């Protein structure tokens, strides 16, 4: 029987989109468990700098933390990221032990007639293709270690809900299909693959506050618990996935009861 091993101490976690509210909360949670961190950002270098200072102030010794610029639409940029990881961390020559594919993109365009092909392609590239490439580059290292955790940050949109258009829904539904297939194929390798599907999470670039969703299906009036979710609540689910090796192939809807 395989050994039960849910210890995160010393594991390298790659978190994309760490400059945003959800990514930063995930970084804090995994750092508190003793993980080393590889944090990526697309444009907001100041936020990632502030987060790094905050984390290093909490734990100055016994952990490695680096940040990297990443363009999720660029295969060259993703490949360069893995080359940088290889040269930046002792004991992690090929990739991360934990991959949290969190970086995402979504514009609120509800009518299909208004969604251009360029907008559709960009959304798919950021939300789905990047997760595929990141997983493709991470899994060989995880297999060699006999241990790995992959977590995708999906959306209620994967099942048709949410406030964005069909382009966004398609990208998140594809992410869920990718997750279920990889979970089935790699459970024997000690790798779990899951996704958290949030809805109406406040203090993020997509939903800064309650006013932003007024009059939409995501209006707080329509949410049974009566409020927006928090980035930390998303991070709580990610941490559960990482510390629960018996859970794989699952999508957890985090929506305050919204369907």
């Amino acid at each position: 029987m395989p050994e039960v091993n849910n210890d995160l101490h010393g594991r390298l976690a790659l978190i994309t989109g760490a400059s945003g509210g959800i990514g930063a909360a995930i970084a804090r949670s995994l750092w508190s468990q003793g993980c080393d961190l590889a944090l990526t950002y697309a444009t907001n270098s100041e936020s990632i700098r502030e987060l790094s200072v905050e984390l290093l102030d909490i734990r100055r010794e016994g952990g490695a933390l680096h940040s990297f610029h990443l363009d999720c639409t660029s295969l060259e940029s993703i490949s360069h990221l893995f080359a940088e990881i290889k040269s930046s961390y002792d004991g992690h020559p090929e990739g991360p032990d934990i991959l949290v594919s969190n970086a995402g993109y979504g514009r609120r365009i509800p009518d299909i007639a208004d969604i251009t092909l360029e907008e559709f392609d960009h959304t798919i590239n950021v939300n789905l293709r990047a997760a595929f490439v990141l997983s493709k580059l991470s899994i060989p290292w995880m297999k060699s270690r006999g241990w790995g955790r992959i977590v995708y940050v999906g959306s209620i949109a994967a099942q048709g809900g949410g406030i964005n258009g069909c382009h966004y829904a398609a990208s998140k539904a594809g992410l869920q299909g990718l997750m279920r297939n990889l979970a089935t194929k790699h459970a024997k390798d000690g790798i779990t693959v899951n996704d958290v599907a949030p809805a109406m999470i406040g203090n993020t670039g997509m939903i800064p506050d309650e006013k932003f969703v007024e009059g939409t299906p995501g209006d707080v009036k329509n949410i049974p618990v009566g409020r927006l979710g928090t980035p930390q609540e998303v991070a709580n689910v990610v941490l559960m996935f990482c510390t629960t090796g018996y859970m794989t192939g699952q999508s957890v809807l985090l929506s305050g009861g919204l369907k």
Side-chain angles (χ1 to χ4, degrees):
M1 176 180 292
E3 178 186 356
V4 177
N5 185 354
N6 290 310
D7 184 15
L8 303 187
H9 187 81
R11 307 283 188 186
L12 174 60
L14 167 59
I15 305 167
T16 65
S19 60
I22 291 175
I26 294 169
R28 293 184 186 101
S29 291
L30 292 178
W31 185 250
S32 73
Q33 297 296 308
C35 288
D36 295 336
L37 298 181
L39 308 177
T40 81
Y41 66 96
T43 58
N44 199 341
S45 60
E46 181 60 24
S47 288
I48 209 77
R49 187 194 69 79
E50 291 175 357
L51 175 62
S52 297
V53 170
E54 173 194 335
L55 294 178
L56 289 171
D57 190 53
I58 294 170
R59 178 160 64 93
R60 290 184 178 276
E61 297 181 2
L65 186 160
H66 298 281
S67 61
F68 308 94
H69 176 263
L70 176 64
D71 177 0
C72 284
T73 67
S74 167
L75 299 180
E76 181 181 2
S77 181
I78 298 174
S79 296
H80 182 65
L81 167 66
F82 276 73
E84 288 186 297
I85 288 174
K86 185 175 181 178
S87 64
S88 300
Y89 298 89
D90 294 335
H92 303 287
E94 301 297 336
D97 304 301
I98 299 168
L99 166 64
V100 183
S101 184
N102 164 69
Y105 169 82
R107 289 183 61 202
R108 194 196 299 182
I109 309 176
D111 191 337
I112 189 172
D114 298 325
I115 301 169
T116 66
L117 184 58
E118 290 76 16
E119 180 72 16
F120 181 90
D121 287 346
H122 184 73
T123 305
I124 292 292
N125 285 342
V126 175
N127 294 348
L128 179 56
R129 190 180 73 165
F132 163 76
V133 177
L134 289 162
S135 301
K136 181 180 175 67
L137 295 176
S138 298
I139 284 175
W141 169 249
M142 293 177 181
K143 284 180 68 174
S144 74
R145 304 269 284 181
W147 195 98
R149 302 284 187 265
I150 297 176
V151 183
Y152 300 137
V153 178
S155 171
I156 192 176
Q159 59 188 46
I163 61 175
N164 291 317
C166 64
H167 59 315
Y168 184 77
S171 70
K172 295 300 187 176
L175 194 62
Q176 194 171 114
L178 178 67
M179 175 273 291
R180 295 193 189 282
N181 181 276
L182 291 177
T184 299
K185 286 183 166 58
H186 293 288
K188 67 181 185 302
D189 301 316
I191 302 169
T192 67
V193 191
N194 296 282
D195 86 69
V196 54
M200 306 307 120
I201 306 300
N203 296 317
T204 63
M206 191 172 291
I207 304 177
D209 52 39
E210 292 184 4
K211 187 174 179 57
F212 190 79
V213 292
E214 284 182 0
T216 75
D219 193 312
V220 171
K221 297 175 183 177
N222 300 325
I223 301 174
V225 302
R227 64 171 176 84
L228 298 177
T230 70
Q232 184 57 52
E233 288 172 320
V234 180
N236 293 345
V237 178
V238 173
L239 184 59
M240 177 193 67
F241 285 144
C242 292
T243 57
T244 311
Y246 200 60
M247 176 174 280
T248 194
Q250 303 302 307
S251 178
V252 172
L253 180 62
L254 186 70
S255 66
L258 189 67
K259 297 180 180 179

